[in-house]
Amino acid sequence: MIDRLSTLFFKTLREDPAAAEVASHRLLVRAGYIRRQAPGVFAWLPLGLRVKNKISTIVREEMAAAGASEVYFPALLPREPYEQTGRWGEYGDELFRLRDRHGADYLLAPTHEEVFTLLAKDIVTSYKEMPFEIYQIQDKYRDEARPRAGLLRGREFTMKDAYSFGLTDEHLADSYQRQRDAYERIFTRLGVEYVIVTAQAGAMGGSKSEEFLLPTTVGEDTFVRSAGGYAANIEAYVTPQLEARDYSGVPAATVHETPGANTIDKLVTQLNKSVPHPENRSWSEADTLKHVVFAVTSADGEREVVVIAIPGDRVVNDKRLEVAFPNCEIEPATAADLAKYPELVAGFIGPVKDGARVLGKGGESSVRLLVDPRVVSGTVWVTGAAAVDKHAVAVVCGRDFEPHGFADVANVRDGDLAPDGSGTVETARGMEIGHIFQLGKKYAQSLGLSVLNENGKLTTVTMGSYGIGITRVLAALAELNHDAKGLVWPVAVAPYQVHLVAAGKSDEIYKIAEKTAAEFAASGIEVLFDDRLKVNPGVKFSDAELLGMPYVVVIGRDATGGQAEVWDRASGDREKMALDQLLEWLNSKLVNKLNCFTQRAAQ
RNA sequence: CGGGGUGUAGCUCAGCUUGGCUAGAGCGUCCGGUUUGGGUCCGGAAGGUCGCAGGUUCGAAUCCUGUCACCCCGACCA
């Protein structure tokens, strides 16, 4: 079977589409792989579909090897299961909701935990059937506030989602590890670089979670990693707790006039003018303690004002803040919030006033004081003095005030310490291409999935969920593999392995090209044959480069003399070769390229 | 949701500031010829409610008001 450009439904664009900004989007549209249907929604043309299927096939092979069975759910689902787990409401505007003619609510699934759980409930009744994993490759729908970058962040996207079911934590750990191993093999076979970072399970519930990130500046996630092997996304990074220090030599705190110094910046300037530093150096932002006030609204609607103190040279990171207060709405305190607590003097908030404790344990204020993990007993700070235009110097944690607890919400910087002692971390950007979760019993509990154990007792099932963004990986591959002329697919996912161009109009050339294509196909090579009669060679060459097959074979002016030309799309190398050597050469190249990744994956 | 930008032919865009005859170009498409290893060249043709609605004006792609859509940055993103 030879696929021919003369009959293939495709069209290349001479110019970049106006709406496409990022390379993957631009080239996939220009080369005729996808077409935009609506914001964040794309139609798949034959070439794009082939790439998508190749990625899916690799995922299927590795899922099978990991012991997972493939199933297929509808994307259109009824409201009830999602109502039971609370996600119908929690998902908010991001959920595509619709209504049938009877007025019943439906949704386009953003992810399928609920129905997988219910399927398991339907079918599995005994511990003897545990553990097991099932998965599907399906389209997911999320009504993104702002879809962007073509396939990289769409509203419809294809995802492999697997779910594991077991009775014990050991089952879960085992399934999790098998999926994790499969992911490593999948990404290696695809030729995608990845970093596994510990992540925050977040609203998915559950305990352990890791993300597979592709390091790239176009990525939307920030993560940190150390040379010693620590890696975590920015939400999951844990600041190492410092040891308490001896503060016996620290003089008593003193209060200084700091008129108008309601920011850290102004404060440091004033200190350097009027207050000598005990160590005879300049004051810096890191000497100060910044008190930030937030209003935390819990799930039951109760609004609490909280003060968080972090070193003055840091800022609060919103994502880390969210993690610190799970299941709560958190926002900066309003003027109305502050008005209720006169001890919170905007710009001059501090734990101590006139030597008396204000915030923290033993303080008069009812407001909770949480501090950065770097603020431990014995550390010395400049803080607000809880009075307008006044700051206190040499305020010692553990002596002058005692926080209620810690809040690890400050930003992470290059050079911060990794919590596992593996050195300092550096920050980097990454794109999430896979995510694995140990969900635990959350879904099983709310949907009533339990089975009989060895002792005949009903036991709630423990679950995991494991996702790979198929279409996002496709876009990432395009993003990583292209040049000025077009796409440059790795052999493992290229729509065809060889692009055969008949360059010339003579019958002789076409006969030879036809015969060559047939030989390729017969030996199992996936060949795309540019047999278009009325197209100039220049156009065919440009198309071949834009479409991006790994190898281009040109049957042209030298064909009658028994010669062809082969191009290596990635390296740009071109060489003349006898027609009867083509097959052998290509086969060895293709086998090598495929093997190099599969073998690496097998290790 | 906040900020910015753009809507004119299948595609990429010009024209709009300063209103004026029949709304343009390149590419693509179709026809005839030409060329055949780098998006050939020549000639001809088809193709547009100028996003939509309202207003100002003798006259609106152009000015005004409203509205819709799309793109980009940010917020958001199991």
Side-chain angles (χ1 to χ4, degrees):
Chain A
M1 178 69 191
I2 306 167
D3 286 351
R4 297 158 189 275
L5 276 180
S6 61
T7 53
L8 185 76
F9 184 70
F10 91 115
K11 168 86 131 194
T12 53
L13 301 177
R14 191 165 182 150
E15 285 163 289
D16 283 334
E21 202 77 6
V22 299
S24 59
H25 187 195
R26 203 162 37 81
L27 290 170
L28 288 170
V29 172
R30 192 146 91 83
Y33 283 64
I34 58 172
R35 277 297 165 100
R36 196 195 76 103
Q37 210 65 43
V41 181
F42 293 87
W44 291 86
L45 278 55
L47 291 170
L49 201 51
R50 284 185 69 100
V51 181
K52 198 178 160 204
N53 288 338
K54 289 229 174 160
I55 297 172
S56 301
T57 298
I58 289 175
V59 170
R60 285 198 172 96
E61 287 170 4
E62 295 300 337
M63 283 297 113
S69 313
E70 183 169 8
V71 299
Y72 190 75
F73 278 93
L76 178 67
L77 295 172
R79 167 179 175 164
E80 285 73 22
Y82 288 78
E83 188 69 62
Q84 280 185 61
T85 55
R87 290 211 298 174
W88 174 265
E90 284 167 15
Y91 232 96
D93 290 337
E94 207 144 295
L95 192 63
F96 270 109
R97 300 151 208 266
L98 56 165
R99 191 160 282 170
D100 72 6
R101 63 170 71 197
H102 305 294
D105 287 319
Y106 282 80
L107 58 88
L108 294 175
T111 170
H112 280 75
E113 277 78 5
E114 281 80 354
V115 286
F116 268 82
T117 308
L118 289 173
L119 181 69
K121 183 180 174 182
D122 219 15
I123 290 181
V124 182
T125 51
S126 157
Y127 74 96
K128 293 175 188 165
E129 295 162 295
M130 298 274 175
F132 65 97
E133 292 99 39
I134 43 183
Y135 79 99
Q136 67 173 347
I137 294 178
Q138 233 287 16
D139 289 340
K140 305 286 186 231
Y141 296 85
R142 293 183 200 169
D143 193 1
E144 292 283 346
R146 183 159 93 83
R148 69 186 79 180
L151 257 23
L152 287 176
R153 183 162 208 84
R155 295 196 294 173
E156 179 188 77
F157 54 94
T158 306
M159 189 169 168
K160 184 283 306 183
D161 48 325
Y163 304 85
S164 69
F165 300 84
L167 262 197
T168 62
D169 288 348
E170 288 70 37
H171 281 163
L172 176 56
D174 187 54
S175 296
Y176 184 89
Q177 190 59 42
R178 271 209 308 281
Q179 284 287 319
R180 194 180 190 274
D181 291 345
Y183 277 36
E184 296 215 57
R185 285 194 299 272
I186 288 165
F187 292 128
T188 304
R189 282 180 66 181
L190 290 171
V192 181
E193 194 194 335
Y194 62 91
V195 178
I196 303 176
V197 305
T198 56
Q200 202 62 38
M204 288 293 291
S207 48
K208 185 173 179 179
S209 164
E210 287 171 299
E211 274 175 24
F212 286 70
L213 295 183
L214 164 66
T216 160
T217 48
V218 303
E220 296 171 305
D221 296 336
T222 306
F223 70 101
V224 297
R225 53 177 160 179
S226 74
Y230 174 78
N233 72 14
I234 207 78
E235 295 101 307
Y237 170 83
V238 178
T239 306
Q241 184 97 43
L242 296 181
E243 296 285 315
R245 305 172 190 183
D246 173 35
Y247 51 79
S248 52
V250 182
T254 50
V255 175
H256 299 261
E257 294 289 332
T258 51
N262 55 0
T263 66
I264 295 295
D265 196 33
K266 291 184 204 165
L267 172 62
V268 170
T269 307
Q270 292 218 6
L271 288 172
N272 279 324
K273 273 187 202 158
S274 54
V275 183
H277 193 286
E279 292 168 17
N280 265 331
R281 59 174 174 85
S282 307
W283 295 98
S284 75
E285 294 186 338
D287 295 320
T288 70
L289 197 57
K290 172 159 57 181
H291 291 74
V292 194
V293 191
F294 291 99
V296 182
T297 309
S298 60
D300 51 24
E302 199 173 322
R303 188 181 175 94
E304 181 199 358
V305 172
V306 175
V307 172
I308 298 178
I310 62 174
D313 59 336
R314 304 244 169 201
V315 295
V316 171
N317 177 284
D318 287 344
K319 290 182 175 179
R320 291 168 55 71
L321 184 63
E322 294 286 334
V323 171
F325 295 88
N327 303 317
C328 293
E329 291 287 318
I330 182 155
E331 56 181 350
T334 62
D337 290 321
L338 286 178
K340 293 177 195 157
Y341 303 98
E343 67 273 25
L344 302 181
V345 184
F348 303 90
I349 297 171
V352 182
K353 180 175 189 176
D354 301 329
R357 293 186 176 198
V358 177
L359 293 171
K361 290 178 186 164
E364 64 180 47
S365 177
S366 60
V367 176
R368 265 202 300 162
L369 173 67
L370 304 176
V371 299
D372 185 271
R374 296 168 191 84
V375 184
V376 294
S377 179
T379 52
V380 185
W381 305 97
V382 176
T383 73
V388 176
D389 293 346
K390 284 184 164 65
H391 277 88
V393 171
V395 175
V396 176
C397 181
R399 179 188 74 181
D400 301 316
F401 70 99
E402 192 79 44
H404 292 109
F406 291 99
D408 191 10
V409 300
N411 62 328
V412 187
R413 294 188 304 223
D414 288 3
D416 286 349
L417 290 173
D420 63 354
S422 64
T424 58
V425 298
E426 61 175 22
T427 59
R429 302 281 285 174
M431 180 193 300
E432 181 184 347
I433 50 177
H435 203 157
I436 51 181
F437 289 93
Q438 293 192 359
L439 290 176
K441 297 176 187 294
K442 173 179 168 170
Y443 290 90
Q445 222 145 39
S446 47
L447 294 165
L449 170 59
S450 52
V451 300
L452 293 174
N453 69 9
E454 299 92 322
N455 307 317
K457 284 183 70 176
L458 269 179
T459 311
T460 302
V461 168
T462 293
M463 294 171 55
S465 87
Y466 317 92
I468 291 180
I470 302 280
T471 45
R472 180 179 274 188
V473 165
L474 186 153
L477 283 165
E479 203 67 45
L480 294 173
N481 302 289
H482 71 270
D483 60 22
K485 291 175 175 173
L487 297 159
V488 187
W489 293 112
V491 173
V493 300
Y496 297 88
Q497 295 163 338
V498 175
H499 186 131
L500 179 70
V501 175
K505 286 283 160 66
S506 79
D507 285 350
E508 191 64 17
I509 286 175
Y510 270 80
K511 271 185 198 152
I512 294 168
E514 191 75 42
K515 185 164 162 274
T516 309
E519 279 170 15
F520 287 179
S523 85
I525 291 176
E526 297 167 351
V527 56
L528 180 63
F529 179 25
D530 191 346
D531 61 337
R532 293 175 294 175
L533 279 170
K534 294 179 179 174
V535 178
N536 280 305
V539 175
K540 290 184 175 179
F541 295 153
S542 301
D543 276 345
E545 283 156 338
L546 179 57
L547 296 186
M549 303 322 147
Y551 296 99
V552 179
V553 173
V554 181
I555 305 290
R557 58 191 170 202
D558 301 327
T560 46
Q563 292 265 302
E565 192 175 78
V566 290
W567 301 354
D568 181 319
R569 180 68 182 88
S571 68
D573 294 345
R574 297 177 178 197
E575 60 180 291
K576 297 241 162 102
M577 191 174 294
L579 285 167
D580 54 18
Q581 289 176 4
L582 285 174
L583 199 54
E584 194 185 342
W585 186 86
L586 282 171
N587 270 324
S588 74
K589 285 277 185 187
L590 292 169
V591 167
N592 274 343
K593 292 242 165 157
L594 283 173
N595 280 353
C596 102
F597 286 116
T598 26
Q599 280 167 5
R600 201 182 303 165
Q603 286 166 7

